[in-house]
Amino acid sequence: MRKPDDLAQRAKAEATGMAKQGLAHPSTKPVLTGAAIGAVAGLVLPVVSLPLGLVAGAGIAFWQRIRR
């Protein structure tokens, strides 16, 4: 099992890399795709709003990238 601080460091490094490199970073496109899927789900599902779906989709995609 990983230490929580290791996961936090990886998340920070990943977010910093995405911010600096933009679309050239390998995690940016999957996270944007997750955000788009979440936004569509937010439009379709009556319980979830578009902004909430967008954030949730991006968060899930980001989590999948850093947990490896």
Side-chain angles (χ1 to χ4, degrees), residues 1-2 9 11-12 15 17 20 23 25-28 30 38-39 43-46 52 54-55 60-61 63 66-68:
M1 196 166 158
R2 290 195 176 111
Q9 289 173 351
K12 181 181 176 187
K20 287 182 180 179
L23 287 176
H25 194 275
S27 292
T28 303
L43 285 174
V44 174
L45 298 173
L52 180 62
L54 186 129
V55 171
I60 290 169
W63 171 256
I66 64 169
R67 73 175 179 167
R68 296 183 199 175

